[in-house]
Amino acid sequence: MGYEILIEETRAGLVENVHFGIICGLNEEKEKIYQIGDPEQEVFFRSAAKPIQALPIFLSTIIEKYNLTEEEAALFAASHRGEENHISALKSMLNKLPVEETDLYCPPSYPLNREPREKMIRLGEQKRRLYHNCSGKHMGFVAVCKEMGYPVANYWEPNHPLQQHIAQILSTLSEVPISKIKIGIDGCGVPVFAIPLSSMALTYLKLACPDLIEDSKLRNAVQKLTNTMNHQYNMIASEHFICSVLLQDPNIVAKGGAQGVYCFGLKNERIAFALKVINGSEDVWPNIVASILDQIDYKNKETIQKLRRLKPSLVKNDSGIEVGAIKERFAL
C-alpha cells in the first residue's frame, strides 16, 4: 500500500473516519528528508498548479503595461471565493486588460463562498464566468495569448502554445521531463498536470527558494509572484481558508488543489512539502499541515495556532457539545 493513515476522526472513542495519504518533504539538496507512504506516486496538481500557471504573466510586462494593482495580479494565481474584494478586482481587470468575459473558457458560476453566493441568488443575479473560482487564471491565459500573439481560440487545449509554455515551466521547476508529465483536464477545462509527489515538493521548494532556479528571468518572475501571493494572501482564497492563513506568514509559499492535494515551501528552512489526502478531503488540511510544522519544530508558532483554530482537534455537535476528536496519526 502506497499510503498510510494521516488522520483519524473519533466519536465517543470509536473511530468514525480515517484519512489515508502520502507526504513528501524535500531539503535544498533535493533529498527526501520526510516521507509518509510512497513519495513517487503520481498526483495531479489540480489548483496547486495555479502559481506555475500564472508565471507566463509574471514573465511578461502585462502587469505594468496595464497598470494592474498587486491585489489584481494576485488573482492570476488564486482560487478566489467570490467575496466582494475578489469580484471588484476582477471587474477592474476586465476594464484594464484586452480581455472580454466571453473569451474565458471557465463556465458560468456563482461564488464558492456561501454568503456572496446566496446574496447573488437573492438579488436575482445570473451566473457569470467572472464568478468562477478560476476566472483570474483564465483572464491571465487570455491576456498572455494576446500579448504574445498566440491564438485565443482553444487556449485550453494541451497542444496550444500557451499550455506548452506552462508545461515547459513546470518541467524546469519540477525537473520532470515533459514526456513524463501526465496531462488530464481540470475542473475549469484547462490541462492539469500529474507528476510524482516528490517532484511537486521540488517545484514548491523552488517557488520558496528561487535562488535554486538557474534561469534568471524565471527566477525573477517567481520572486515577483510569491511576493504578490504573500502580500495579498486574502486574494488567493479568503479569510478562514488555509491558503490565506499560511500566506500571511511571509516565510511560506502555499497553494492547495482539489482532491486533497496541498503543497507548501518554507523559505528560511529551505524545505518544501507536498501531500495528498487519498479520499480527496480538504477538511483535514489544517490538521495535517499544523502537525507537519509542529513535528519539524517550526519557529512561527502563531502560524501553527492559526491552523489549529481553523480546524480544532475537538469535534463539537450543533449545540456546541464536545462529541469527538480529530487525531493526527503520522510521524515524519
Side-chain angles (χ1 to χ4, degrees):
M1 185 170 66
Y3 41 86
E4 300 179 17
I5 295 175
L6 301 182
I7 299 289
E8 280 184 353
E9 297 185 59
T10 64
R11 187 178 298 265
L14 295 177
V15 175
E16 188 172 45
N17 195 6
V18 176
H19 301 271
F20 290 86
I22 48 179
I23 300 173
C24 182
L26 291 185
N27 65 13
E28 63 179 315
E29 283 77 39
K30 307 174 191 176
E31 298 168 329
K32 301 182 189 77
I33 54 173
Y34 303 110
Q35 63 183 70
I36 302 292
D38 180 10
E40 298 312 305
Q41 182 168 327
E42 292 176 313
V43 174
F44 280 109
F45 263 102
R46 304 301 301 269
S47 284
K50 282 181 175 173
I52 296 95
Q53 293 167 313
L55 280 168
I57 280 278
F58 287 84
L59 281 162
S60 76
T61 59
I62 289 172
I63 294 170
E64 295 79 14
K65 180 176 179 179
Y66 294 99
N67 196 30
L68 299 182
T69 67
E70 195 176 51
E71 292 91 337
E72 292 164 351
L75 287 165
F76 294 129
S79 294
H80 74 79
R81 308 291 303 186
E83 293 289 348
E84 187 175 337
N85 58 326
H86 301 136
I87 301 303
S88 175
L90 287 163
K91 288 178 177 178
S92 174
M93 291 165 73
L94 271 183
N95 288 329
K96 293 179 179 181
L97 293 168
V99 175
E100 301 293 333
E101 189 168 354
T102 52
D103 292 332
L104 308 182
Y105 187 62
C106 55
S109 176
Y110 283 123
L112 287 180
N113 276 1
R114 181 181 57 81
E115 188 173 332
R117 179 175 65 249
E118 291 182 353
K119 180 179 179 181
M120 287 183 182
I121 293 171
R122 285 197 308 271
L123 293 174
E125 289 200 38
Q126 299 299 308
K127 293 180 179 180
R128 290 181 59 176
R129 297 178 192 276
L130 201 67
Y131 301 157
H132 193 283
N133 78 301
C134 297
S135 60
K137 175 178 74 175
H138 282 257
M139 209 177 297
F141 286 166
V142 174
V144 168
C145 287
K146 294 192 174 182
E147 188 73 11
M148 301 299 293
Y150 300 153
V152 172
N154 302 318
Y155 72 80
W156 52 88
E157 296 288 350
N159 61 355
H160 188 280
L162 171 64
Q163 301 301 335
Q164 292 291 305
H165 185 202
I166 292 168
Q168 183 59 63
I169 291 172
L170 175 60
S171 178
T172 298
L173 295 176
S174 66
E175 301 182 13
V176 175
I178 287 182
S179 61
K180 299 292 186 182
I181 297 174
K182 303 292 195 323
I183 298 178
I185 302 300
D186 214 339
C188 65
V190 300
V192 60
F193 308 105
I195 60 177
L197 193 76
S198 62
S199 302
M200 294 172 73
L202 177 58
T203 301
Y204 268 74
L205 178 66
K206 291 182 182 178
L207 292 181
C209 305
D211 58 287
L212 298 174
I213 301 169
E214 292 183 9
D215 183 290
S216 61
K217 287 186 67 176
L218 182 58
R219 182 168 62 244
N220 291 337
V222 165
Q223 186 69 67
K224 184 177 177 182
L225 164 69
T226 55
N227 284 345
T228 299
M229 293 174 68
N230 283 126
H231 295 164
Q232 304 300 330
Y233 49 85
N234 274 337
M235 301 303 287
I236 301 299
S238 66
E239 284 189 298
H240 312 304
F241 283 83
I242 184 173
C243 289
S244 292
V245 167
L246 286 174
L247 288 168
Q248 287 181 53
D249 185 332
N251 187 47
I252 297 179
V253 177
K255 186 71 180 71
Q259 296 299 323
V261 177
Y262 209 87
C263 303
F264 64 99
L266 306 177
K267 300 175 186 179
N268 293 333
E269 293 77 6
R270 300 180 70 80
I271 58 177
F273 290 86
L275 65 93
K276 162 80 171 176
V277 183
I278 297 300
N279 65 10
S281 175
E282 301 174 16
D283 288 344
V284 292
W285 279 344
N287 309 86
I288 296 169
V289 176
S291 182
I292 290 171
L293 294 176
D294 267 333
Q295 291 187 51
I296 67 171
D297 195 24
Y298 184 58
K299 291 181 180 179
N300 192 338
K301 304 304 179 186
E302 182 181 357
T303 294
I304 299 173
Q305 291 166 5
K306 288 178 180 177
L307 291 172
R308 297 291 187 196
R309 288 195 290 270
L310 273 185
K311 188 71 172 179
S313 59
L314 296 178
V315 177
K316 296 182 179 181
N317 69 6
D318 296 342
S319 299
I321 299 170
E322 182 183 329
V323 295
I326 298 174
K327 300 180 179 180
E328 295 129 18
R329 290 301 194 193
F330 67 94
L332 296 175

